[in-house]
Amino acid sequence: MPAGPDTETKAVDQDAQLLAAAELEIEPVRIAFTYQVGLVIVATGMLLLPILYVVLIVALGYGVWYHAAHSPGTLFGNGISFWRLVFYVAPIFAGATGILFMIKPIFARQPKPPPPLTLSSAEQPLLHDFVRLLCRSLGTPAPREIRVDMQVNASASFRRGVRSMLGRDLVLTLGLPFVAGLNVAQLSGVLAHEFGHFSQAIAMRFSYLIGSVNHWFVRVVYERDAWDEKLEKASREAPSGYAQVMLLLGIFLVWLSRRVLWVLMYVGHVLSAYMSRQMEYNADKYQVQVVGSSGFRPTYLRMGVLDLAGQAASGQVNDLISEGRLATDFPALTQVHALRIERFEAVRSQITQEMLEGHTGLFDTHPSGGDRVHHAEHMRIEPRMKCSWPGRSLFRDFDALSERTTSGFYEAQLGDRVATFAMVSTEDAAAGLIAAEQSARAAARVLFGGTAIVFGIAPTTLVPVAAESVETGITALKRAREKSKSLKESVGSLANHYGQVYAKERKIATALLFSTAGMKFSPDKFGVSTRDTGELVHLKQSTGVERKRARESMKPVFAAIQERVDAAVALASNSEISDRLTDEETTLSNYQAIGETLRALAGTWPYLADLDTNVEHLTILAAGADQYAEQEEFNKEAERMVNETHDILRRVCVRLSENPYPFEHARGPVSIANYAVPTKPRANIQIIGDANAALERIKLLYGRCWGELARLVERVEGVVGLPEMDLEVREEE
């Protein structure tokens, strides 16, 4: 239906008010002369660091040349022998290898990320006009391009990197989830902060150079590529001991070069961190003039809520992907999670505490939230803008733009596979989220806070048997409830004891990993008194026996849960009750499938525990690779762990391949194995990601199944007039 004259007039009037709001009286922020001098000194120091690195390369090259040119007279003066030849060739080979790997980072290029969506002034005229007027008020250059992406952030930067440094070639990038969660004043304040950096023309350019050098150092110190892998593989597969010595010497020089870079990286970081913090304080002064001293804190905290909401939305998208689905509008989904977060006072308080109570550290490039808020409130400035309209008001057809940008985001992440996914509306995704929350809360009440779930329990009865009468069914259900209630006081201590023993076993296993891999460690850190591998193996075995006994003590709890579920399902199967359970028809009809799924997952629980431990250990090994890559025992342990993890994941897939996924899947009927591990696991270090994804999906499915049963139990109890019974075991108990 076309818009009428009144609607069009209202839209024009709103646009005019928004543009008027962007015309502010902003005082220029003066930069102290000492700050500018300090920035020049830091930038000069940062530029000298790469020059120093080049000098080291030249020095090493000169050393190799000097050895090649002058050593023959000393080594071969009395004739050529095999060992003299080795002592001549090995330094040349190792030095050349070191030089090659030191030069390689200078020319290394990062893979380019997928380009964000650029919005033309014809497509979004109001946004472009608003930004232009805001920049004029701030006295800063306006961006030549405005782009949008899926980040929970906004940024202004040089459009073409270093090529744009000498002019005013800027780009503004707006994260649509960020825009959707702020009002116009808050968004304008954030933009004022970003554009405020560009009011410091010289400082911003020096900062860009400093940041680029820092980023380069971090990348070349920690990134590995195919060259590194080939060199390490060649050292392991060397045809002779002499060749291996030369290769290992080359690896040592590569490692040494990265150690030098590591030192330079930290020197550069310390040099630049202070100046970076001062730039943030200066940019905050622009933001404060827009939102006022009183508006800085709520804007800053709102950004924290949106960041957490973005993480939660990403998590839900991953869950949807496991079922072959995708949310159509990621920014809208982020707002759903933001509203959920704001409903819980405890979560808001935690966000406030984490964002405002930290301290600024020596290596921090940004001041702590508390320092920034204190600095802003100390200025005592009234807000220049008070526009509370949503930030999306600056866009033409924001919903369509969000869906288009979301689609591009998925295509960049999933490639051609995106066409195989079904799209889910924000409303359906939100409804699924609410259902999941309800199931989780029901599981917490019925299953002692979910404590019992971690043990991998499953129903013993899979075929519901209807209660002979409603009265006998209610009696059985009351008896089961009383049994569960009587156990509540003891569940906490039993589960806590099991958790302590299990944590002890995990620590011993980690100490054993360090010992087996030849890594240095302090026994006290892992609660042991020895580094001996044999003693640690024995200690781990005895702790495993202790853990099994602790699990046995939980059996009465498992039995009570089962009895309550059986009694509730028996009542639900009675026709007098089932007619009143319209909300739970799906769960009741799917009860056997859910039970079979839980039993299948429970059967893999020991494998899953081993998989979880192996992922932790592989992560430790990956972190120590830079330090211990030359040690044979370390490499052997890493290879063994990769193969073992791959084998465990394969066994899990085999066990779950015959069990159908019990819920609706976009690709139709699939096995639990296909749901948990949709792509073939890789037999290399990437197995960490494959195993982690499988663990997350299996745990999600396990919790969902028990949540469905717990919700059914509570619904039946409500229908027959039994009050809600909260068995959640909380930490204070």
Side-chain angles (χ1 to χ4, degrees):
M1 181 178 178
D6 292 342
T7 303
E8 293 178 358
T9 301
K10 184 178 180 181
V12 171
D13 183 55
Q14 177 176 300
D15 290 357
Q17 292 182 53
L18 285 169
L19 293 177
E23 298 186 273
L24 309 171
E25 295 182 6
I26 302 295
E27 298 178 7
V29 176
R30 295 181 179 179
I31 303 174
F33 176 73
T34 54
Y35 167 55
Q36 295 188 48
V37 171
L39 188 62
V40 172
I41 293 173
V42 171
T44 303
M46 288 297 297
L47 290 175
L48 286 175
L49 292 178
I51 295 174
L52 176 59
Y53 184 64
V54 172
V55 169
L56 290 173
I57 295 175
V58 173
L60 179 58
Y62 176 79
V64 172
W65 171 83
Y66 189 89
H67 170 75
H70 295 85
S71 294
T74 303
L75 288 172
F76 306 132
N78 297 323
I80 298 177
S81 69
F82 177 79
W83 282 108
R84 288 176 182 176
L85 188 62
V86 169
F87 280 122
Y88 178 70
V89 173
I92 296 175
F93 175 81
T97 302
I99 292 171
L100 177 63
F101 274 77
M102 291 179 76
I103 292 175
K104 177 169 66 75
I106 297 177
F107 301 100
R109 294 288 183 269
Q110 270 189 306
K112 291 185 178 181
L117 180 65
T118 300
L119 304 180
S120 67
S121 57
E123 181 182 0
Q124 297 290 343
L126 176 60
L127 176 65
H128 277 265
D129 289 344
F130 183 90
V131 169
R132 178 176 50 78
L133 290 173
L134 181 62
C135 287
R136 188 171 70 182
S137 298
L138 296 167
T140 63
R144 290 194 178 180
E145 283 186 7
I146 298 179
R147 302 169 180 169
V148 291
D149 60 17
M150 289 292 104
Q151 299 294 314
V152 187
N153 199 2
S155 65
S157 57
F158 294 113
R159 187 169 67 96
R160 297 179 298 163
V162 69
R163 291 177 295 171
S164 299
M165 282 185 59
L166 299 179
R168 294 189 166 192
D169 189 12
L170 309 178
V171 60
L172 170 64
T173 304
L174 296 171
L176 292 183
F178 194 68
V179 171
L182 298 177
N183 63 37
V184 171
Q186 291 172 329
L187 180 60
S188 299
V190 174
L191 295 183
H193 174 100
E194 296 299 328
F195 292 133
H197 285 306
F198 287 98
S199 69
Q200 311 166 34
I202 296 177
M204 186 63 195
R205 283 157 176 78
F206 277 132
S207 176
Y208 180 82
L209 286 175
I210 291 169
S212 298
V213 173
N214 258 334
H215 181 67
W216 182 82
F217 274 132
V218 171
R219 195 161 54 85
V220 298
V221 167
Y222 293 111
E223 277 189 3
R224 297 292 181 270
D225 58 22
W227 288 31
D228 296 272
E229 293 178 3
K230 288 179 180 179
L231 184 60
E232 292 173 5
K233 183 179 180 181
S235 70
R236 293 194 299 269
E237 300 175 355
S240 66
Y242 310 114
Q244 189 174 48
V245 168
M246 288 193 291
L247 288 166
L248 289 176
L249 186 57
I251 290 175
F252 171 74
L253 284 177
V254 172
W255 173 84
L256 186 62
S257 71
R258 287 199 170 110
R259 290 299 92 191
V260 172
L261 275 172
W262 183 85
V263 172
L264 295 178
M265 177 186 72
Y266 271 92
V267 170
H269 198 61
V270 171
L271 283 174
S272 63
Y274 175 76
M275 288 301 170
S276 177
R277 293 195 295 269
Q278 297 310 305
M279 288 190 68
E280 291 301 315
Y281 279 131
N282 281 326
D284 281 347
K285 291 178 181 179
Y286 283 94
Q287 182 174 352
V288 171
Q289 291 190 71
V290 174
V291 300
S293 294
S294 60
F296 188 89
R297 178 193 292 259
T299 301
Y300 184 70
L301 293 178
R302 177 63 178 168
M303 290 165 64
V305 170
L306 292 175
D307 183 60
L308 184 59
Q311 296 176 40
S314 296
Q316 188 180 5
V317 167
N318 287 333
D319 294 342
L320 288 170
I321 287 175
S322 68
E323 291 192 330
R325 308 174 198 279
L326 290 170
T328 56
D329 190 337
F330 185 79
L333 186 62
T334 301
Q335 299 318 301
V336 170
H337 284 273
L339 290 172
R340 287 178 56 248
I341 291 170
E342 290 187 327
R343 287 202 305 267
F344 297 101
E345 176 61 32
V347 178
R348 294 204 315 273
S349 298
Q350 183 178 354
I351 293 174
T352 301
Q353 180 179 353
E354 291 178 355
M355 295 190 70
L356 298 183
E357 294 187 4
H359 298 285
T360 303
L362 179 66
F363 295 99
D364 292 339
T365 57
H366 287 61
S368 69
D371 288 345
R372 293 179 70 176
V373 169
H374 175 76
H375 185 263
E377 293 178 344
H378 183 71
M379 294 173 65
R380 298 182 180 179
I381 293 177
E382 292 297 317
R384 305 286 203 273
M385 184 186 292
K386 296 182 179 180
C387 184
S388 59
W389 286 342
R392 58 186 289 148
S393 304
L394 297 171
F395 291 77
R396 176 187 290 174
D397 202 346
F398 183 83
D399 292 336
L401 176 63
S402 290
E403 291 188 9
R404 180 156 59 103
T405 310
T406 299
S407 179
F409 173 70
Y410 291 148
E411 289 175 4
Q413 299 296 318
L414 300 171
D416 295 338
R417 290 196 301 131
V418 73
T420 66
F421 288 82
M423 303 307 292
V424 178
S425 68
T426 303
E427 292 74 17
D428 288 342
L433 182 64
I434 293 171
E437 287 180 338
Q438 291 174 344
S439 295
R441 287 197 293 268
R445 291 188 293 264
V446 174
L447 302 170
F448 301 95
T451 301
I453 291 183
V454 301
F455 293 92
I457 63 174
T460 55
T461 305
L462 298 183
V463 181
V465 178
E468 294 181 2
S469 67
V470 173
E471 291 73 18
T472 57
I474 293 176
T475 300
L477 185 55
K478 286 181 177 179
R479 184 168 57 247
R481 282 163 55 96
E482 287 301 316
K483 184 177 291 186
S484 290
K485 187 176 180 180
S486 68
L487 290 169
K488 182 181 179 182
E489 297 301 321
S490 61
V491 169
S493 59
L494 291 173
N496 185 54
H497 173 62
Y498 177 87
Q500 290 175 347
V501 176
Y502 185 52
K504 178 183 175 182
E505 185 181 14
R506 290 284 289 260
K507 284 186 175 181
I508 295 170
T510 305
L512 180 58
L513 170 75
F514 274 78
S515 177
T516 306
M519 301 168 70
K520 296 177 181 178
F521 71 100
S522 170
D524 293 341
K525 180 180 178 181
F526 301 105
V528 296
S529 58
T530 180
R531 291 187 178 89
D532 183 76
T533 302
E535 292 181 19
L536 289 170
V537 168
H538 178 73
L539 189 58
K540 182 175 179 293
Q541 290 172 345
S542 61
T543 309
V545 173
E546 185 181 357
R547 178 176 58 82
K548 289 179 181 178
R549 286 199 296 265
R551 191 184 192 285
E552 287 291 316
S553 66
M554 288 289 293
K555 278 192 172 182
V557 179
F558 305 155
I561 293 171
Q562 180 63 53
E563 184 177 338
R564 188 176 175 191
V565 171
D566 285 347
V569 173
L571 258 178
S573 301
N574 185 288
S575 58
E576 293 183 39
I577 302 299
S578 61
D579 292 342
R580 299 159 63 185
L581 290 173
T582 54
D583 294 341
E584 303 297 337
E585 284 179 353
T586 303
T587 301
L588 189 57
S589 63
N590 205 31
Y591 173 75
Q592 185 172 350
I594 290 174
E596 288 175 347
T597 298
L598 287 171
R599 290 178 71 168
L601 296 179
T604 65
W605 218 249
Y607 292 113
L608 298 177
D610 290 341
L611 197 63
D612 195 26
T613 301
N614 279 24
V615 166
E616 179 187 346
H617 288 180
L618 277 172
T619 304
I620 293 171
L621 292 173
D626 190 49
Q627 183 178 357
Y628 297 100
E630 294 81 16
Q631 295 183 190
E632 183 180 357
E633 55 187 338
F634 177 87
N635 291 320
K636 283 184 177 180
E637 181 62 16
E639 185 177 1
R640 185 195 69 80
M641 190 67 67
V642 165
N643 292 333
E644 181 182 285
T645 306
H646 183 267
D647 184 59
I648 293 173
L649 189 54
R650 182 187 60 79
R651 292 185 184 186
V652 169
C653 290
V654 170
R655 278 179 166 263
L656 299 178
S657 60
E658 300 299 324
N659 298 93
Y661 182 68
F663 303 109
E664 184 180 354
H665 196 286
R667 293 197 297 271
V670 298
S671 68
I672 299 176
N674 288 335
Y675 156 80
V677 189
T679 57
K680 185 178 180 180
R682 295 159 286 186
N684 53 38
I685 197 63
Q686 301 299 325
I687 194 67
I688 295 177
D690 297 335
N692 246 332
L695 283 168
E696 288 178 5
R697 289 179 176 181
I698 289 174
K699 290 176 180 178
L700 176 70
L701 176 59
Y702 185 78
R704 180 179 178 183
C705 287
W706 268 117
E708 292 286 322
L709 296 186
R711 196 167 64 176
L712 173 62
V713 168
E714 290 197 330
R715 180 75 175 113
V716 170
E717 291 175 346
V719 165
V720 299
L722 297 177
E724 184 180 282
M725 186 171 67
D726 189 356
L727 297 177
E728 183 170 1
V729 178
R730 298 176 176 85
E731 291 185 6
E732 62 268 23
E733 296 182 12

